[in-house]
Amino acid sequence: LDRLRYLRGSLMESQRRHMLHQTVKRTLPVPVVVGGYTVPAHTELVLHLNEAARDIRFFDRPELFVPERWLHVVEDVERG
């Protein structure tokens, strides 16, 4: 089972590094305050997931392939 956890972590890390969809588009149903700015309802936002996956605010050493960063997520999923 330990090897399967590592395999799952490797798959998740591969998906982080090489995303199938690099952007996600959403339309805001209501006004939202983001960083002190009010974004009106019905505004289309484009989230650049590829940028977030390489941002040090979200991932330690994002330039490296580190499957271990996901092992706690795999364990949480297995617990239910």
Side-chain angles (χ1 to χ4, degrees):
L1 289 175
D2 288 335
R3 290 184 185 170
L4 290 178
R5 286 187 185 112
Y6 195 82
L7 175 62
R8 288 181 186 168
S10 295
L11 291 172
M12 293 174 79
E13 184 70 350
S14 294
Q15 290 173 349
R16 179 189 72 84
R17 302 247 328 178
H18 308 286
M19 295 181 187
L20 181 60
H21 300 286
Q22 297 184 5
T23 59
V24 174
K25 185 171 88 169
R26 297 287 185 258
T27 303
L28 296 177
V30 296
V32 176
V33 177
V34 178
Y37 296 96
T38 301
V39 182
H42 311 294
T43 299
E44 289 187 348
L45 296 179
V46 178
L47 306 172
H48 294 274
L49 303 175
N50 202 30
E51 293 298 320
R54 288 166 171 71
D55 193 321
I56 61 172
R57 293 176 295 171
F58 306 115
F59 295 98
D60 182 42
R61 300 175 298 158
E63 71 282 359
L64 298 179
F65 185 83
V66 184
E68 294 84 2
R69 75 174 88 231
W70 299 101
L71 295 184
H72 71 281
V73 174
V74 171
E75 290 169 4
D76 290 346
V77 169
E78 288 175 348
R79 279 190 228 129

